[in-house]
Amino acid sequence: MTFSVASIRKDFPMLAEKIYGQPLVYLDSAASAQKPQQVIEKESKFICHHYAAVHRGIYSLSSKATAMVENVRQQVADFINAADAEEIVFVKGTTEGINLIANSYGYRFIKPGDNIIISQMEHHANIVPWHLLACQIRFDIRVLPIDNAGKLIFEQLDKLIDSRTRLLSFTHMSNVLGTVNPVKKIIAYARQCAEKKKAQLHIVLDGAQSIMHQMIDVQDLDCDFYVFSGHKLYGPTGIGVLYGKKILLNALPPWQGGGAIIDKVSMTLAEPSIINITYENAPWRFEAGTLNIVGIIGLGEALRYVNNIGYQQISAHETSLMQYANQRLSTVKSLRFYGSDERQGVIALNLGDHHAYDVGSFLDNYGIAIRTGHHCALPLMNFYQVPAMCRVSLAVYTTKEEIDILVEKLQHIEKLLG
């Protein structure tokens, strides 16, 4: 399709809303992107005409709903170039995906005295699950540092990896700084270091931020796991994806117990009773209970929407927009920027010494929505020695006119606050 941001904006009904009488300028897509009408209508149509429990019924409605869900699984596999649809596990989102890995892979492969590596720029979702697990298993967590430009010093992996390193888990793109890590290069280097140190190393990529900005090829990246959330990719909340290499997924135990993950269950009435359970193969052994069926259908439509536009056009628009935003924002004299100029989709800043919350509140009065706070990345705030940052994030529907409005209002706030 021919790219037209004006036409694309018409697909997003929320963008026509007003806040305090001002047109909405939505610059918080890194937290959650707005939803196109196509996704909204697809979910509504499914609820009205196709809804039924999946994987549980032989009647036609259930069979059709099951086929639709499994079609989306294949669609996701194609979208990220997984080798097999059975490498795609549906989860609530990135956070649940990482928790699943921690509580399945962690108990299977990590032993007391082992270690894993995460980075200094991680979201709490890629810190807390490992900390909770380490408190139980008693393994070490090592931290890959960043430099002043907000880039990973990945050469430090040669010092951090030893024979007892089991996992490297890090973000593809910083949710705060917009830094896009050279993940293919880092993964290749990590595997080289692991081979030299005779470490059985697996690699997790947090793709929550990168998935909306660039095409992902998990086979080319050679990661063992990749996780992302649907709601950051113009899809619904409450649905996400965990990709894992098939041979690895089938070696892991279920994380949650319940229906749909079972192959066989038997029990004896003798004392003590004996219960024997065998589980389905992946991905179904990780999908206990009733899936977010409607969310899966919405996710499929979101992927179709992105494919119809094309990542090449999305990237070209966002790159031009980021260059424009960097240029225009630099005219606000007291703005302080964090991270490198080589950022994607996200700009972290503060207005002088004013607290981010104050700036965000002022902008809200003008209908401008940005994210303020520590962005679930307190180690990063500590690195830059600030309590909070303002975060401006761009999407396929963001315009240069919206950047102009942001700059105008920041200059106004600058005069008001002094």
Side-chain angles (χ1 to χ4, degrees):
M1 62 180 289
T2 302
F3 185 88
S4 165
V5 67
S7 297
I8 285 172
R9 286 179 67 85
K10 293 176 183 177
D11 292 335
F12 293 83
M14 188 67 186
L15 300 181
E17 291 295 310
K18 291 191 174 183
I19 306 295
Y20 300 119
Q22 305 288 328
L24 171 63
V25 175
Y26 189 75
L27 298 173
D28 193 26
S29 296
S32 196
Q34 295 298 336
K35 320 304 168 195
Q37 190 66 37
Q38 291 89 329
V39 171
I40 298 167
E41 289 177 357
K42 185 73 172 185
E43 289 190 276
S44 178
K45 182 180 178 181
F46 178 79
I47 292 170
C48 293
H49 301 289
H50 303 291
Y51 184 83
V54 300
H55 302 141
R56 285 168 169 76
I58 61 170
Y59 58 95
S60 59
L61 201 59
S62 177
S63 297
K64 179 67 181 295
T66 298
M68 293 174 75
V69 164
E70 293 305 319
N71 285 343
V72 175
R73 197 188 302 276
Q74 181 63 59
Q75 189 181 355
V76 174
D78 294 340
F79 192 79
I80 62 173
N81 195 33
D84 194 308
E86 293 182 4
E87 296 181 323
I88 304 302
V89 181
F90 291 121
V91 290
K92 287 194 300 186
T94 304
T95 298
E96 185 176 65
I98 295 173
N99 274 274
L100 190 160
I101 299 167
N103 286 278
S104 185
Y105 175 93
Y107 281 108
R108 172 69 175 79
F109 286 107
I110 304 176
K111 308 299 180 189
D114 287 344
N115 65 82
I116 71 164
I117 301 169
I118 60 176
S119 89
Q120 196 174 11
M121 67 167 59
E122 297 309 310
H123 188 284
H124 294 166
N126 201 25
I127 301 173
V128 178
W130 303 114
H131 172 72
L132 292 172
L133 189 67
C135 290
Q136 298 179 53
I137 297 180
R138 301 298 177 188
F139 61 84
D140 294 330
I141 300 176
R142 298 175 178 178
V143 179
L144 184 64
I146 61 173
D147 60 22
N148 289 330
K151 296 182 178 181
L152 289 177
I153 311 174
F154 69 87
E155 295 83 1
Q156 292 283 332
L157 285 171
D158 192 42
K159 297 179 181 178
L160 294 174
I161 293 174
D162 62 26
S163 63
R164 301 203 65 176
T165 305
R166 296 292 170 256
L167 195 78
L168 168 61
S169 186
F170 69 108
T171 186
H172 192 165
M173 172 181 162
S174 169
N175 72 301
V176 179
L177 305 175
T179 304
V180 182
N181 291 315
V183 292
K184 187 175 179 180
K185 183 188 245 184
I186 293 172
I187 290 171
Y189 184 69
R191 294 203 187 281
Q192 178 186 333
C193 293
E195 184 177 358
K196 182 171 66 174
K197 306 290 181 66
K198 295 181 169 52
Q200 296 178 336
L201 179 72
H202 291 104
I203 294 170
V204 180
L205 275 182
D206 173 354
Q209 294 298 327
S210 55
I211 192 75
M212 76 181 297
H213 299 294
Q214 60 181 281
M215 185 177 293
I216 303 301
D217 185 334
V218 291
Q219 293 189 74
D220 183 57
L221 294 176
D222 191 29
C223 55
D224 296 295
F225 301 100
Y226 195 96
V227 289
F228 67 90
S229 302
H231 71 99
K232 296 181 188 290
L233 191 62
Y234 312 107
T237 54
I239 188 64
V241 168
L242 161 63
Y243 156 81
K245 290 181 178 177
K246 189 173 181 179
I247 191 171
L248 188 53
L249 286 179
N250 280 320
L252 301 182
W255 170 38
Q256 296 174 317
I261 72 170
I262 300 302
D263 177 33
K264 295 177 183 177
V265 175
S266 65
M267 62 175 64
T268 66
L269 298 179
E271 293 292 340
S273 296
I274 299 174
I275 298 178
N276 291 309
I277 302 176
T278 57
Y279 300 104
E280 291 277 10
N281 289 329
W284 301 282
R285 68 169 56 188
F286 301 109
E287 295 176 349
T290 301
L291 291 170
N292 180 359
I293 305 166
V294 178
I296 292 170
I297 299 303
L299 173 63
E301 189 60 30
L303 299 185
R304 186 175 294 107
Y305 184 84
V306 170
N307 272 336
N308 284 341
I309 299 173
Y311 270 115
Q312 187 174 356
Q313 298 200 82
I314 292 172
S315 178
H317 169 67
E318 292 182 349
T319 298
S320 173
L321 198 63
M322 181 62 76
Q323 292 171 349
Y324 185 79
N326 285 334
Q327 176 190 355
R328 292 288 289 115
L329 285 166
S330 65
T331 64
V332 184
K333 296 178 182 178
S334 63
L335 275 188
R336 289 185 291 161
F337 298 91
Y338 302 94
S340 166
D341 288 340
E342 301 170 13
R343 56 176 74 92
Q344 187 174 49
V346 170
I347 304 172
L349 50 85
N350 275 326
L351 186 65
D353 293 324
H354 301 296
H355 198 287
Y357 291 161
D358 295 332
V359 176
S361 296
F362 270 97
L363 289 174
D364 181 50
N365 288 325
Y366 307 130
I368 303 172
I370 67 166
R371 178 76 182 271
T372 58
H374 54 64
H375 311 287
C376 299
L378 278 169
L380 204 52
M381 298 300 111
N382 294 336
F383 177 82
Y384 286 105
Q385 299 182 330
V386 294
M389 294 180 187
C390 297
R391 185 184 70 184
V392 174
S393 53
L394 316 177
V396 68
Y397 43 67
T398 310
T399 67
K400 291 181 178 179
E401 290 75 18
E402 289 179 311
I403 300 301
D404 289 337
I405 294 170
L406 171 67
V407 169
E408 176 193 341
K409 297 307 179 185
L410 283 171
Q411 290 171 335
H412 181 62
I413 296 168
E414 188 178 46
K415 292 178 181 177
L416 284 176
L417 297 180

